[in-house]
Amino acid sequence: MGQDVRSPRGPRCIALVGPFQSGKTTLLEAILARTGAIARAGSVDAGTSVGDGSPEARHHKMSVALTAASASFMGEAYTFIDCPGSVEFSHDMRAALPAVDAAVVVCEADEKKLPQLQIILRELEDLKIPRFLFLNKIDRANNNRIRETLAMLQPASRVPLVLRQIPIWNGDLIEGFVDLALERAFVYREHKASEVVELDGGNLDREKEARFSMLEKLADHDDALMEQLLEDIQPPRDAVFDDLARELREGLICPVLLGSALRENGVLRLMKALRHEAPGVAETAARLGVPASKDALGYVFKTMHLQHGGKLSLARLLAGHLDDGATLQSSSGQSSRISGIFAPGAAQDGKRASAEAGDTVALGKLDAIKTGDTFSSGKTAPAALVAVEALPPVLAMSIAAADRKDDVKLGQALLRLNEEDPSLTMVQNQRTHDIVLWGQGEMHLRVALERLRERYGVNVKSQPPAIGYQETIRKPITQRGRHKKQSGGHGQFGDVVLDIKPLPRGEGFRFSETVVGGAVPRNYIPAVEEGVIDGLARGPLGFPVTDVAVTLTDGSYHSVDSSDLAFRTAARIGISEGLPQCQPVLLEPIHTVEIVCPTDATAKINAILSARRGQILGFDTRDGWSGWDCVRALMPEAEIGELIVELRSATAGAGSFTRQFDHMAEVTGRAADQIIAAHRAAA
């Protein structure tokens, strides 16, 4: 890794983001190789890259967590955060972005990935993070016009995409590029710095036209430049670079650079653009509202649990000086003492005595501080600078330890997984006592199970979570429940008469009594209610019973043999014998589902909803999102389970949904018979 060098802007932190399989990790390898941080670039496919270093990432050949790696370039220090492109692992990106100075959005000329690109650019735009677009895989362009590609990509961005380079063609192959700001031509050399060549002929004409187009976009926010263009005056080169830097930092433009990460083409030009135009930690601290203080202040954007190294917290120091051993106060009200400051990246074991503003570091054993916390070396807890909420979960599985003796171990492992990835959530199913693990998709949950097995040594069995079926009744009856038992000494005697009636949907359970003349002594009435509740826990169809009113109207007792237990048992018997006569009916939970998707996929989404017994309520354009729709429907909970899999398949991974319980609805006929039979078979 290159020497950690100070600059007036401090060490900078740059996020590499982009759609799935756009080449972010390959670009990180190219950057590290070209800056001398590593001897040579590794390969994602061969499993030799710095990024995607976890066993799960190697196995699936995809980023499943962010990677931080450091390098130095032309006397300045950088940390690059390689963020997963899959929406299922996007929480890492969303947690890291607030701390970075700028982002490089890696994309390719693929119209199918436009919705994913739009989601990422929207996140950056909302956070006011300066961003470059690195148009990757340019060596595969096949003579497509770059302007046409730019026009195709533009709808994904709310600010102009400003082309900084144009390609130099040799037949159908791109052999180099012209830098429009620098007004120089370069020919690519694989895995080496590009060679400067003379700019002449057709390339010179194309350069003049493209440069004027770039300047026109810059002039939209620079009156002096606009006047120069109108008067046909060539603006000074330094002024053009200053405009590019200012408009980037103010979020007025998104510069577009060309290259091929695999061939390391365009990497040094990207690094030079970052060096000259990306802001430093002072601007980032101002964007986040960091208060003036002499204390160190930073933000934790990732938590990791190492098998043998304990807990590490990846953090960006936004202000001040931080020493190893310092005690930190967090915005969540907790305090922890640092046990080691480490440089992130390829040389993870590089221990440091201290850190300065701008540094991205791994802090050891901050047991009480979690991802998303702001921390300070002062004596009081700092205000939170960032609030990153996990996306609503979209897929669940019910899990349990394969070996019951691992129950405690499983619970501890899940807590650590949730610390590392807050978009994983765990809920205890009170009825089945299983743990329901919620995540962002099929691969997200699969990776979680792999981590439980490989990292924590816990094998789990999994199955689809239980659906919240219930049952109710249609017909009122009066039923006697009688419990009498004699076995020497005091016996047991309880006798109740119950009116059992249906209630309107959603009313739940209601108990009352109209006993007169002391037929059932008042001290036994609470036990009767408890017995009724016991009997409603499992109805004749096998599910909890709801929307029922039960009234205790009469009964009898024995002065010696009656007891709370006897009356509770009598009430349970009365309910259990009465419910089958009340015309029980199955109920299933219905949820309101709201799906957001690209407009061209709306018809497919409607078909998916209809096939899953969904009742479409309507759709509208998604507020503030060009080319997106929002579809609303009512859908049975049983049909939502794998909905996200179909939804992502129909939208190239970009669609998502939220859901909320709405009501319980009757299920009759063959569908009800199948549900009841399956439930009894599993019991």
Side-chain angles (χ1 to χ4, degrees):
M1 184 169 65
Q3 182 184 2
D4 181 13
V5 186
R6 296 281 146 186
S7 78
R9 292 190 188 132
R12 276 177 281 187
C13 186
I14 309 295
L16 303 180
V17 301
F20 179 55
Q21 292 186 331
S22 58
K24 298 175 296 297
T25 302
T26 303
L27 179 60
L28 175 64
E29 290 297 308
I31 290 171
L32 296 178
R34 296 308 295 270
T35 57
I38 57 178
R40 58 176 295 177
S43 164
V44 174
D45 288 338
T48 57
S49 56
V50 172
D52 294 353
S54 70
E56 302 84 31
R58 298 276 200 241
H59 175 65
H60 295 293
K61 291 186 171 17
M62 65 179 290
S63 298
V64 298
L66 66 75
T67 298
S70 298
S72 62
F73 178 70
M74 297 183 70
E76 298 190 0
Y78 296 82
T79 296
F80 292 92
I81 311 294
D82 176 20
C83 300
S86 168
V87 67
E88 298 191 30
F89 301 96
S90 65
H91 185 80
D92 268 13
M93 177 194 76
R94 297 175 64 246
L97 284 182
V100 305
D101 301 316
V104 176
V105 184
V106 186
C107 71
E108 56 186 301
D110 185 349
E111 194 169 10
K112 293 179 181 178
K113 294 184 178 180
L114 267 180
Q116 289 185 52
L117 179 63
Q118 187 177 6
I119 292 170
I120 292 165
L121 285 174
R122 175 62 65 100
E123 190 86 25
L124 295 168
E125 291 162 0
D126 290 347
L127 292 171
K128 297 180 170 57
I129 295 172
R131 54 214 169 267
F132 294 88
L133 198 71
F134 184 77
L135 187 55
N136 194 23
K137 306 178 185 178
I138 196 68
D139 51 321
R140 305 179 189 174
N142 292 328
N143 215 6
N144 285 339
R145 290 181 59 84
I146 295 299
R147 286 188 185 180
E148 292 174 359
T149 298
L150 210 62
M152 182 262 290
L153 297 175
Q154 182 60 66
S157 173
R158 288 187 287 183
V159 301
L161 299 178
V162 177
L163 193 62
R164 289 282 303 273
Q165 300 164 332
I166 59 171
I168 297 175
W169 295 95
N170 182 1
D172 290 338
L173 299 176
I174 292 177
E175 65 176 10
F177 66 93
V178 179
D179 188 304
L180 300 178
L182 198 59
E183 297 183 280
R184 287 184 185 169
F186 299 83
V187 172
Y188 292 135
R189 294 190 299 170
E190 194 162 348
H191 307 301
K192 294 181 182 179
S194 299
E195 179 184 353
V196 179
V197 296
E198 186 177 351
L199 184 58
D200 57 11
N203 286 329
L204 180 60
D205 295 337
R206 290 173 56 240
E207 185 273 337
K208 288 181 178 179
E209 181 185 357
R211 188 170 195 269
F212 185 80
S213 177
M214 177 189 77
L215 294 176
E216 275 189 316
K217 290 183 179 178
L218 295 179
D220 287 341
H221 307 284
D222 184 339
D223 292 340
L225 177 58
M226 179 64 77
E227 288 183 15
Q228 289 173 331
L229 294 181
L230 291 174
E231 295 174 10
D232 203 21
I233 297 173
Q234 281 296 316
R237 188 177 297 167
D238 288 348
V240 172
F241 274 109
D242 289 344
D243 258 0
L244 284 165
R246 178 183 61 82
E247 295 188 22
L248 167 82
R249 294 174 194 176
E250 294 178 6
L252 302 174
I253 62 169
C254 178
V256 179
L257 301 166
L258 312 178
S260 168
L262 189 62
R263 298 178 182 273
E264 298 177 20
N265 295 152
V267 173
L268 290 182
R269 187 55 42 188
L270 169 64
M271 289 301 301
K272 288 179 180 178
L274 289 171
R275 181 177 182 271
H276 185 269
E277 296 160 36
V281 66
E283 292 96 330
T284 300
R287 167 169 56 82
L288 293 173
V290 173
S293 173
K294 294 181 180 179
D295 299 322
L297 189 139
Y299 165 72
V300 174
F301 60 86
K302 178 68 176 175
T303 299
M304 300 180 294
H305 287 279
L306 307 182
Q307 280 188 306
H308 304 294
K311 179 179 175 180
L312 279 180
S313 301
L314 281 178
R316 180 89 192 281
L317 191 61
L318 298 164
H321 169 92
L322 187 64
D323 288 316
D324 191 6
T327 297
L328 302 179
Q329 309 295 326
S330 81
S331 54
S332 58
Q334 304 296 317
S335 65
S336 285
R337 183 176 178 272
I338 299 172
S339 179
I341 299 178
F342 304 91
Q348 188 72 56
D349 58 348
K351 193 168 184 180
R352 305 170 55 168
S354 63
E356 305 291 338
D359 282 332
T360 303
V361 291
L363 303 176
K365 299 183 179 178
L366 298 183
D367 292 333
I369 296 180
K370 63 184 187 300
T371 298
D373 279 357
T374 301
F375 63 80
S376 169
S377 62
K379 296 187 181 301
T380 59
L385 295 175
V386 176
V388 180
E389 295 184 2
L391 296 172
V394 293
L395 189 63
M397 65 170 63
S398 182
I399 64 171
D403 190 327
R404 294 301 299 271
K405 75 178 190 313
D406 285 337
D407 282 351
V408 173
K409 194 175 179 182
L410 172 61
Q412 294 171 340
L414 286 172
L415 287 175
R416 289 191 171 186
L417 278 187
N418 181 242
E419 266 198 291
E420 291 189 335
D421 183 358
S423 65
L424 280 171
T425 54
M426 286 70 70
V427 179
Q428 186 83 36
N429 188 317
Q430 297 300 320
R431 186 155 60 89
T432 64
H433 305 294
D434 281 348
I435 296 171
V436 180
L437 181 63
W438 284 91
Q440 300 300 318
E442 190 177 28
M443 183 61 72
H444 191 214
L445 293 178
R446 185 185 305 173
V447 167
L449 296 190
E450 290 173 3
R451 286 174 175 162
L452 288 173
R453 182 179 65 250
E454 301 299 332
R455 195 186 303 177
Y456 299 107
V458 183
N459 284 308
V460 300
K461 52 186 179 181
S462 63
Q463 61 184 15
I467 305 300
Y469 293 113
Q470 295 179 327
E471 56 185 274
T472 190
I473 59 173
R474 290 173 170 168
K475 175 185 174 184
I477 67 160
T478 298
Q479 178 69 37
R480 179 178 292 274
R482 186 178 178 88
H483 176 60
K484 182 177 181 180
K485 187 175 182 181
Q486 193 71 41
S487 56
H490 288 308
Q492 296 181 35
F493 182 84
D495 178 37
V496 296
V497 178
L498 305 173
D499 278 355
I500 307 171
K501 297 179 180 179
L503 286 175
R505 193 75 64 245
E507 291 291 317
F509 164 65
R510 192 182 303 156
F511 177 82
S512 59
E513 55 85 17
T514 58
V515 175
V516 295
V520 177
R522 305 209 67 78
N523 58 302
Y524 292 137
I525 290 176
V528 174
E529 182 176 2
E530 290 175 1
V532 169
I533 293 172
D534 291 343
L536 295 176
R538 182 181 174 88
L541 305 182
F543 301 96
V545 183
T546 189
D547 298 339
V548 171
V550 177
T551 303
L552 172 65
T553 60
D554 201 358
S556 60
Y557 74 101
H558 189 280
S559 58
V560 175
D561 292 344
S562 287
S563 63
D564 283 342
L565 177 60
F567 271 98
R568 182 171 181 170
T569 303
R572 178 175 54 78
I573 291 171
I575 288 294
S576 298
E577 293 179 351
L579 286 176
Q581 307 171 53
C582 295
Q583 295 182 4
V585 62
L586 183 66
L587 298 176
E588 68 173 344
I590 305 295
H591 291 242
T592 302
V593 176
E594 192 166 286
I595 295 173
V596 291
C597 63
T599 299
D600 60 8
T602 300
K604 295 179 185 176
I605 300 307
N606 289 340
I608 290 170
L609 292 174
S610 297
R612 289 177 172 268
R613 297 194 288 138
Q615 177 189 345
I616 297 171
L617 301 176
F619 71 94
D620 204 347
T621 57
R622 188 180 183 186
D623 189 29
W625 285 70
S626 174
W628 284 69
D629 284 340
C630 179
V631 182
R632 290 172 292 105
L634 291 173
M635 179 174 287
E637 180 183 307
E639 300 287 349
I640 299 176
E642 300 265 328
L643 174 63
I644 191 63
V645 178
E646 278 195 87
L647 174 58
R648 294 223 170 107
S649 175
T651 61
S656 63
F657 75 91
T658 56
R659 70 180 191 176
Q660 185 173 3
F661 172 77
D662 191 82
H663 67 279
M664 301 295 292
E666 290 188 10
V667 187
T668 58
R670 184 179 179 185
D673 292 342
Q674 290 175 336
I675 293 168
I676 294 166
H679 181 72
R680 287 173 177 166

